[in-house]
Amino acid sequence: MDELVDFAIDSSRQENVTRILDSAERLFRHYGYGKTTVADIARDLGMSTANIYRFFGSKTEIHQAVCGRMLEMSYNMALSISRLPISASDRLRQYVNAQFKMTVEVMLDEEKVHEMVIVAIERDWHVIEKHVDRIHDIIADVIREGIAAGEFAEQDASAASKCFGAATVTLCHPQMVAQCLSKENRAMPDDLIEYAIRALKK
């Protein structure tokens, strides 16, 4: 019986957390992170500000959680691509292209979302670092499979993953994508991806 009560409490809490994050993300996207207050989120949900603070200690914590959800989408996309029944090279190509597309469409086309991401990056939050580490792990696994299949040269897959990420960061990092997108003297996405993949084969 106690377990059922605990489950109901956990379920109710998660439902409230989800509602708060949904509202916050909607308001951040519409008004911008800087112009949105905890009171705005509470008003949007028809609850008191004090009730919001029962679940999050500050607007910063809410923002972290919203960004965490966005990064989880990126992680799940990378994980899904890493499991496709195609060559390691093709999986890496698909991942970087998909991440580039997501960065352009979601983080840059929507100016207010871009603001949210930039604030998170500039504050050097642990959620960003954790995401980078998880992506490196996925890429390292793909590289290991490529090595085992004779597709890539023998090498330290973990180190190679970090190097691959650094080589393609201008296609994945929102600030770098924003700066390089319209510059004619920068490498084209496909050229950069192919260059990084060739490096794994040498």
Side-chain angles (χ1 to χ4, degrees):
M1 185 65 176
D2 289 342
E3 290 181 0
L4 290 176
V5 172
D6 289 342
F7 176 78
I9 293 173
D10 289 343
S11 179
S12 175
R13 178 179 178 78
Q14 186 55 52
E15 182 180 340
N16 279 308
V17 166
T18 299
R19 288 182 63 222
I20 291 170
L21 295 182
D22 287 346
S23 171
E25 183 171 348
R26 184 169 60 253
L27 294 176
F28 289 161
R29 285 175 180 269
H30 186 73
Y31 297 108
Y33 171 73
K35 293 183 178 179
T36 301
T37 66
V38 174
D40 292 330
I41 298 169
R43 191 178 307 112
D44 183 61
L45 292 170
M47 62 173 66
S48 68
T49 302
N51 198 34
I52 299 288
Y53 286 122
R54 286 177 54 212
F55 302 96
F56 295 96
S58 64
K59 186 176 84 166
T60 297
E61 284 189 14
I62 295 174
H63 185 201
Q64 284 183 327
V66 169
C67 287
R69 292 203 311 184
M70 294 173 65
L71 293 174
E72 193 66 19
M73 287 174 52
S74 173
Y75 172 79
N76 288 332
M77 176 191 70
L79 187 61
S80 176
I81 291 173
S82 76
R83 293 173 174 172
L84 292 174
I86 54 180
S87 71
S89 294
D90 284 341
R91 279 177 279 165
L92 293 177
R93 284 189 189 95
Q94 283 205 25
Y95 161 66
V96 180
N97 274 312
Q99 183 59 56
F100 178 65
K101 182 179 179 182
M102 177 183 287
T103 301
V104 172
E105 293 180 353
V106 177
M107 298 181 182
L108 298 187
D109 282 357
E110 299 184 41
E111 182 181 344
K112 300 300 192 299
V113 178
H114 189 217
E115 177 196 357
M116 288 166 53
V117 174
I118 296 309
V119 169
I121 291 172
E122 290 179 344
R123 291 181 179 178
D124 198 26
W125 281 342
H126 69 279
V127 291
I128 303 288
E129 291 306 305
K130 181 180 177 182
H131 173 69
V132 171
D133 289 341
R134 294 172 81 198
I135 293 297
H136 282 162
D137 289 343
I138 288 176
I139 294 174
D141 285 341
V142 173
I143 292 173
R144 285 190 193 93
E145 292 174 13
I147 294 171
E151 192 176 341
F152 300 146
E154 285 290 337
Q155 57 197 295
D156 183 326
S158 293
S161 172
K162 293 173 184 176
C163 290
F164 183 86
T168 57
V169 69
T170 55
L171 303 179
C172 304
H173 191 293
Q175 287 171 304
M176 292 185 180
V177 171
Q179 291 174 11
C180 297
L181 200 58
S182 61
K183 303 285 179 63
E184 295 183 358
N185 64 341
R186 307 300 166 86
M188 293 294 99
D190 287 344
D191 293 336
L192 187 53
I193 294 168
E194 291 308 312
Y195 188 88
I197 289 176
R198 280 199 303 274
L200 293 170
K201 297 180 178 182
K202 295 181 178 180

